[in-house]
Amino acid sequence: MTESAEQHPTSHSPRAVTGLILSGGGARAAYQVGVLAAIAELLPEGAANPFPVIVGTSAGAINAVGLACGALSFREAIHSLTRVWKGFQTGQVYRGDFLGVCGQALRFLSHSLLGLGRRQPVALLDSTPLRHLLARELDFSGISAALQARKLRAVAVTAFGYESGQAVTFYQGRATIEPWLRHRRVGTPTRLNLEHLLASSAIPLLFAPVCIQQEYFGDGAVRQQAPISPALHLGANRVLVIGVSGNPTRSDPNEGADTPRSGRPPSLAQMGIHLLNGTFIDSLEGDIEVLQRINYLGKLVPVERRQQEAGLREVEVLLVSPSVPLDEIAAKHRKELPWALRLFLRGPGATRASGAGVLSYLLFERGYCHELIRLGYKDAMNQRAELTRFLGLEEHNL
C-alpha cells in the first residue's frame, strides 16, 4: 500500500478533516491566490477557516503560512495574500537590477569554478529581497493564536535536506500529532519561522539553500515522492489540491505525439523547464493518480475490512488546476522582466516563446501575477458546484 493512502495512526474519527495542499512553482503560485479568493467569496460572511490542515511546498509554502498566520480571519488572510501578489515586482523577490544580476553571476562563477567562498552558499539569483518581504508581511504569532483557538489543526512546509537526502516536513500543530519517519521522508514538529519558508522556496541553483539545525535545505519539491502524504499524517482525511499545471485527469495522453520536430538541439531553457516541471509538477500529479487508483481499489474491499485498515480508507481529493498552460501566459508577459534579467536569460533561450516555461516560474511581475490570479478565480468558479459540495456549503448560504 503506497504512502499516499496512509492515515495518521490517531486519525480514526469519522469526522471530516479537510486538508489544503499548495504545491510549489515560483511565480506560478499566484494562481493559487485566485482560487483561494474564489473560495473566500463562496464562504458565508464570517465563516471560519475551512482548512484545519494546511500544507505547502516552495512558493506554496509561503501561501500556506500566510493563510495559517491569518487563520483567525480567513477572508482577511486571503485579502492580504492577494494584495501582496498583485503588487509584486521581481525586485521584491530577487535582485533584477544590472549590478545585482552581474554581481551575483560573478559570485556564482567564482564559487563554482574557482572554489572561492565555499563556506557561504551561493546561487544564480540573490533572493535577499524575499527575506525582507516575508519578514515584513508575515506575523508568525498568528499560527499559535489559531491553534489555541482551534481554528487550525496544523500547518506544514516541506524542505529538502542536501546532506540527508530527505524531504523534511516541518509542521506546527497540536501536541497530539506524532512525528513520522518514512523512506526519505520525515515529519518533525517545530515552531515555524522565516528560515523554514526561505528553505522550502529555495529553487536549486537559482536561490541559495538555507541552514536549519546544522543542515542546508532547499526547495521542498526536490525528491518529494508523495506530496499529499504530509496532510494525511497531520490528520486530514480529505484534501483540496491547488496545482499549478494542467489537470492530469483532463489531459490527452497522446498530446504532442504529432507535433512537428524542428531537429534543433534544445536550449538550456527548454532543458530547464523539463527539470523544473519534473521537480514541481510530476510528483504531485503522480501522487493524485495513485491515490485515486487506491480509492477505487479500496471500494472493492468489504466495508468491515476498510474500517479496520486505515490505509484502505477512502481519501477524497478535489483538484483545481489551470485551464490554460501557464507558459503561454508567461510568454505574453516576458517583456515585463527588468532588462538586465532579460539580457541574462536571453542566452539560455528563456526570453523566447519556446523557453517561456522557465519564465513562468521566475516572472514575479504585476501583469503576469494579475492574469494568474484572474485565471485561478475563474477556474475555481467554474468548479463552484464541486467546491460547494466539498466544503459542505449550501447554495442559499452563498
Side-chain angles (χ1 to χ4, degrees):
M1 185 62 61
T2 178
E3 295 285 348
S4 297
E6 283 189 7
Q7 296 283 359
H8 189 275
T10 62
S11 299
H12 297 301
S13 170
R15 182 176 64 87
V17 178
T18 304
L20 176 65
I21 310 291
L22 300 175
S23 59
R28 290 178 172 221
Y31 175 85
Q32 298 170 351
V33 177
V35 175
L36 292 169
I39 291 173
E41 188 173 309
L42 293 175
L43 293 173
E45 191 69 32
N49 167 37
F51 305 109
V53 174
I54 305 175
V55 177
T57 303
S58 192
I62 296 174
N63 287 338
V65 170
L67 279 182
C69 289
L72 290 178
S73 180
F74 183 75
R75 281 194 174 183
E76 289 186 14
I78 299 299
H79 290 327
S80 295
L81 280 175
T82 304
R83 172 182 54 80
V84 171
W85 279 95
K86 282 188 173 181
F88 255 141
Q89 291 181 312
T90 297
Q92 294 176 296
V93 180
Y94 55 90
R95 289 193 62 177
D97 59 285
F98 183 76
L99 291 178
V101 170
C102 291
Q104 191 67 16
L106 288 174
R107 281 190 290 271
F108 182 82
L109 290 174
S110 63
H111 179 279
S112 302
L113 299 181
L114 303 179
L116 302 178
R118 287 183 176 178
R119 291 186 176 274
Q120 293 297 323
V122 71
L124 286 169
L125 300 172
D126 180 359
S127 59
T128 302
L130 178 60
R131 175 182 289 274
H132 298 323
L133 174 69
L134 296 180
R136 183 174 68 251
E137 295 291 342
L138 294 177
D139 179 6
F140 287 88
S141 66
I143 297 177
S144 298
L147 291 169
Q148 292 174 4
R150 306 188 73 83
K151 301 297 183 183
L152 185 68
R153 175 181 171 84
V155 56
V157 303
T158 300
F160 174 73
Y162 281 104
E163 286 190 75
S164 66
Q166 293 178 323
V168 180
T169 298
F170 299 98
Y171 67 89
Q172 186 171 344
R174 299 176 195 164
T176 55
I177 301 176
E178 296 294 331
W180 63 88
L181 174 62
R182 297 293 184 269
H183 178 63
R184 295 197 179 280
R185 291 186 288 113
V186 177
T188 180
T190 190
R191 191 178 183 89
L192 293 176
N193 59 39
L194 186 59
E195 305 306 311
H196 297 106
L197 288 190
L198 292 171
S200 182
S201 57
I203 301 175
L205 296 180
L206 296 179
F207 298 147
V210 177
C211 186
I212 300 175
Q213 298 175 350
Q214 303 301 312
E215 182 177 8
Y216 277 94
F217 287 85
D219 200 294
V222 177
R223 300 183 71 175
Q224 189 180 35
Q225 299 171 350
I228 298 175
S229 180
L232 306 184
H233 281 290
L234 295 172
N237 48 31
R238 57 207 301 275
V239 292
L240 172 65
V241 180
I242 306 179
V244 291
S245 71
N247 190 329
T249 63
R250 299 176 185 169
S251 60
D252 180 0
N254 297 316
E255 185 178 0
D258 298 326
T259 303
R261 305 299 190 256
S262 68
R264 294 192 297 269
S267 65
L268 287 176
Q270 286 176 303
M271 290 187 284
I273 189 55
H274 288 293
L275 292 174
L276 288 171
N277 286 345
T279 298
F280 290 104
I281 294 173
D282 293 349
S283 60
L284 177 61
E285 295 184 348
D287 204 28
I288 291 173
E289 287 186 356
V290 169
L291 187 54
Q292 290 172 336
R293 190 176 301 119
I294 290 174
N295 283 341
Y296 174 76
L297 293 174
K299 292 177 181 178
L300 303 179
V301 177
V303 176
E304 298 78 10
R305 177 68 184 278
R306 272 184 275 163
Q307 292 175 343
Q308 295 173 358
E309 298 288 341
L312 295 176
R313 295 175 186 167
E314 182 178 1
V315 178
E316 184 180 4
V317 181
L318 177 60
L319 173 65
V320 181
S321 61
S323 57
V324 177
L326 300 190
D327 52 353
E328 292 181 7
I329 300 176
K332 295 190 301 182
H333 293 276
R334 60 183 182 271
K335 292 184 178 179
E336 294 176 14
L337 269 180
W339 69 269
L341 272 173
R342 293 204 305 272
L343 181 64
F344 181 70
L345 295 172
R346 182 179 179 182
T351 57
R352 297 195 295 268
S354 61
V358 171
L359 288 186
S360 71
Y361 288 88
L362 297 177
L363 194 54
F364 291 92
E365 291 292 337
R366 286 189 180 93
Y368 177 62
C369 291
H370 274 234
E371 190 161 349
L372 293 196
I373 291 172
R374 288 194 297 270
L375 179 63
Y377 180 88
K378 176 185 175 183
D379 288 345
M381 284 304 187
N382 285 340
Q383 292 183 242
R384 177 187 180 116
E386 296 173 74
L387 285 168
T388 298
R389 179 198 56 78
F390 186 84
L391 296 173
L393 304 174
E394 298 292 339
E395 282 294 338
H396 64 267
N397 287 332
L398 300 181

